[in-house]
């Protein structure tokens, strides 16, 4: 079995699974309870918060736990809009954001906010100068993802933060770092973003757990209310086992980041080399060379992505046709449309996404299977 769909989700580390199971069974107290069971759970929670904060050079008080990247992104966008609406209703973003962001922005538009999209080039990058021109006095939020989940393009978020704060210091800057965390260094002291969103299951952690970095002094309105957990920002009984698993995965992933990236780059380069050697006229590489090495978008000419995806599955090779959050809609993704990829190619776009546990032999086997699939498809036409 070859698993090249790590941007959709990753296999959790064995020690993460063991830790989650142990805490679920042995330390099942509610951290809000005052008895010893609750106090022990609270200690685990706060130790995990500290560990995660250290991976970001952040203050533990700036870490808010959520149910995942989608909730973090929703809270960042909607919560900022609600908190800042008296200062303005202008928001900037990009057309290649995750559906969690785009759908949140659509809701805000229906509520009377003005959302403008920055242009992207043929690789999906924004133009910092355009960002500078588009920020207004009433711009309350800029939302930009650090790494695109379909192509791996890396946005200049540090430069964007400097521009935003120089033009309008009151504008809140939210960065979706779901695909970047554990794969690129993130230092909140240098990045200067106000809010950053993260997810555990993209870095070999458990599903259903996420976090939000909320810089001291940044104002947002909660989107979930109730018991007032997480400093009133996110009500609901805290998922202590999942959060402990998140911290465990984050510590390991960030500590072996460089080693993983070297392995991943070798796998990526082998797959590209094999495909160029076997079918040079049948592939179009959409991902930039300087993008995140773990995400590789390739279009295959005149063949639908669903055909390739299911044929690869017969070889026990697992990939995706784009974002796992939108791939079931059987249409060309909004990211591919934004890159203006021509029709003979756009229908056949496949996303390969790697992790440190993949190897070059898997890349060769994948390329061989793709060659067989495309040859068979050509003969059947």
């Amino acid at each position: 079995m070859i698993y090249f769909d790590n941007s959709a989700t990753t296999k959790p580390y064995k020690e993460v699974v063991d830790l989650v199971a142990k805490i679920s069974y042995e330390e099942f107290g509610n951290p809000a309870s005052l008895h010893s069971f609750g106090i022990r759970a609270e200690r685990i929670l706060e130790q995990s918060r500290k560990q995660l904060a250290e991976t970001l050079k952040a203050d533990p008080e700036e870490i808010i736990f959520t149910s995942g990247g989608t909730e973090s992104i929703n809270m960042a966008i909607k919560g900022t809009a609600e908190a800042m609406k008296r200062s303005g209703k202008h928001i900037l973003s990009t057309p290649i954001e995750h559906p969690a962001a785009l759908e949140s922005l659509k809701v805000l538009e229906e509520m009377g906010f003005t959302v403008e999209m920055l242009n992207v080039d043929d690789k999906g990058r924004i133009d910092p100068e355009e960002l500078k021109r588009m920020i207004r006095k009433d711009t309350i939020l800029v939302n930009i993802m650090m790494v695109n989940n379909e192509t791996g393009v890396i946005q200049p978020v540090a430069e964007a933060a400097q521009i935003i704060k120089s033009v309008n210091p009151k504008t809140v800057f939210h960065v979706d770092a779901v695909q970047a965390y554990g794969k690129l260094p993130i230092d909140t002291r240098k990045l200067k973003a106000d809010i950053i969103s993260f997810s555990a299951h993209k870095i070999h952690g458990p599903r259903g757990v996420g976090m939000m970095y909320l810089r001291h002094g940044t104002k947002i309105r909660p989107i979930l209310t109730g018991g007032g957990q997480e400093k009133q920002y996110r009500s609901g009984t805290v998922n202590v086992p999942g959060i402990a698993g998140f911290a465990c995965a984050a510590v390991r992933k960030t500590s072996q980041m460089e080693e993983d990236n070297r392995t991943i780059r070798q796998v990526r380069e082998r797959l590209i080399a094999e495909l160029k050697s076997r079918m040079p006229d049948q592939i179009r590489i959409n991902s930039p060379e300087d993008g995140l090495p773990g995400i590789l978008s390739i279009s295959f000419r005149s063949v639908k992505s669903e055909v390739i995806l299911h044929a690869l599955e017969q070889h026990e090779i697992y990939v995706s046709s784009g974002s796992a959050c939108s791939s079931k809609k059987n249409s060309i993704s909004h990211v591919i449309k934004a890159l203006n990829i021509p029709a003979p190619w756009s229908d056949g776009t496949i996303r390969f996404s790697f992790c440190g546990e993949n190897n070059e032999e898997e890349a060769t086997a994948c390329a061989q299977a793709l060659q067989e699939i495309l040859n068979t498809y050509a003969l059947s036409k």
Side-chain angles (χ1 to χ4, degrees), residues 28-320:
F28 52 84
N30 188 324
S33 298
L34 298 179
H35 50 62
S36 59
F37 249 165
I39 292 170
R40 292 210 302 267
E42 184 183 21
R43 286 174 183 161
I44 295 170
L45 174 66
E46 295 311 317
Q47 176 62 24
S48 300
R49 195 188 308 274
K50 181 180 178 182
Q51 289 175 316
L52 286 159
E54 286 173 351
T55 69
L56 300 168
K57 305 293 192 295
D59 185 331
E61 291 295 310
E62 296 175 307
I63 301 299
I64 308 297
F65 291 117
T66 69
S67 66
T70 292
E71 185 186 338
S72 296
I73 292 166
N74 270 259
M75 193 194 312
I77 293 173
K78 296 174 182 175
T80 297
E82 281 294 321
M84 298 286 290
K85 60 186 178 183
R86 291 186 179 180
S87 299
K89 291 193 173 183
H90 183 241
I91 299 170
L92 293 174
S93 190
T94 85
I96 62 168
E97 298 297 305
H98 188 275
L102 295 177
E103 292 299 317
S104 294
L105 293 170
K106 187 182 297 183
V107 169
L108 292 180
E109 282 188 302
E110 293 171 355
M111 295 170 60
F113 290 84
T114 299
V115 178
E116 288 191 281
M117 294 296 176
L118 301 165
N119 292 307
V120 295
D121 62 19
D122 60 357
K123 292 300 181 184
R125 291 191 187 87
I126 64 165
D127 178 0
E129 288 302 315
E130 183 191 33
L131 171 62
K132 188 174 183 178
R133 291 193 301 270
M134 291 184 70
I135 298 172
R136 310 185 327 204
K137 289 182 179 180
D138 62 339
T139 302
I140 57 171
L141 173 67
V142 175
N143 173 82
I144 300 174
M145 67 193 328
M146 185 179 290
V147 173
N148 182 263
N149 55 310
E150 292 192 33
T151 69
V153 64
I154 302 171
Q155 298 290 6
V157 290
E159 183 180 359
Q162 292 180 342
I163 289 171
I164 293 164
K165 297 305 178 181
S166 66
V167 177
N168 187 347
K170 294 182 180 180
T171 300
V172 174
F173 184 31
H174 169 242
V175 173
D176 168 3
V178 168
Q179 293 291 349
Y181 187 42
K183 302 153 195 175
L184 292 175
I186 300 177
D187 186 333
T188 57
R189 298 172 304 182
K190 296 178 180 178
L191 179 53
K192 302 298 184 184
D194 299 295
I195 312 174
I196 312 177
S197 295
F198 304 91
S199 179
H201 76 109
K202 308 295 186 180
I203 59 165
H204 306 277
R207 297 178 191 178
V209 187
M211 69 176 173
M212 184 174 70
Y213 163 79
L214 186 65
R215 183 179 293 279
H216 286 303
T218 304
K219 305 295 184 183
I220 65 169
R221 287 280 299 276
I223 59 175
L224 292 177
T225 55
Q229 291 88 345
E230 290 303 288
K231 308 173 189 68
Q232 305 289 329
Y233 287 113
R234 202 277 181 183
S235 291
T237 302
V238 182
N239 180 1
V240 176
I243 289 166
F246 190 2
C248 178
V251 169
R252 173 173 168 180
K253 188 70 180 74
T254 54
S255 67
Q256 65 187 44
M257 183 190 308
E258 292 184 9
E259 179 184 348
D260 279 354
N261 285 344
R262 279 195 298 271
T263 299
I264 289 167
R265 196 170 285 108
Q266 290 168 352
V267 175
R268 173 195 179 98
E269 291 174 357
R270 172 70 72 87
L271 180 58
I272 292 173
E274 290 278 0
L275 291 175
K276 285 184 174 179
S277 173
R278 295 168 185 269
M279 53 188 84
D281 299 326
Q282 292 174 283
I283 66 168
R284 182 188 193 278
I285 298 174
N286 306 316
S287 297
E289 290 185 13
D290 59 353
L292 191 78
I295 300 177
L296 177 62
S297 173
I298 298 180
S299 293
F300 296 84
R301 188 172 60 185
S302 301
V303 55
K304 288 190 175 296
S305 58
E306 289 82 1
V307 172
I308 299 172
L309 187 152
H310 292 301
L312 280 174
E313 188 177 3
Q314 298 304 308
H315 292 262
E316 293 190 310
I317 299 172
Y318 302 94
V319 298
S320 73

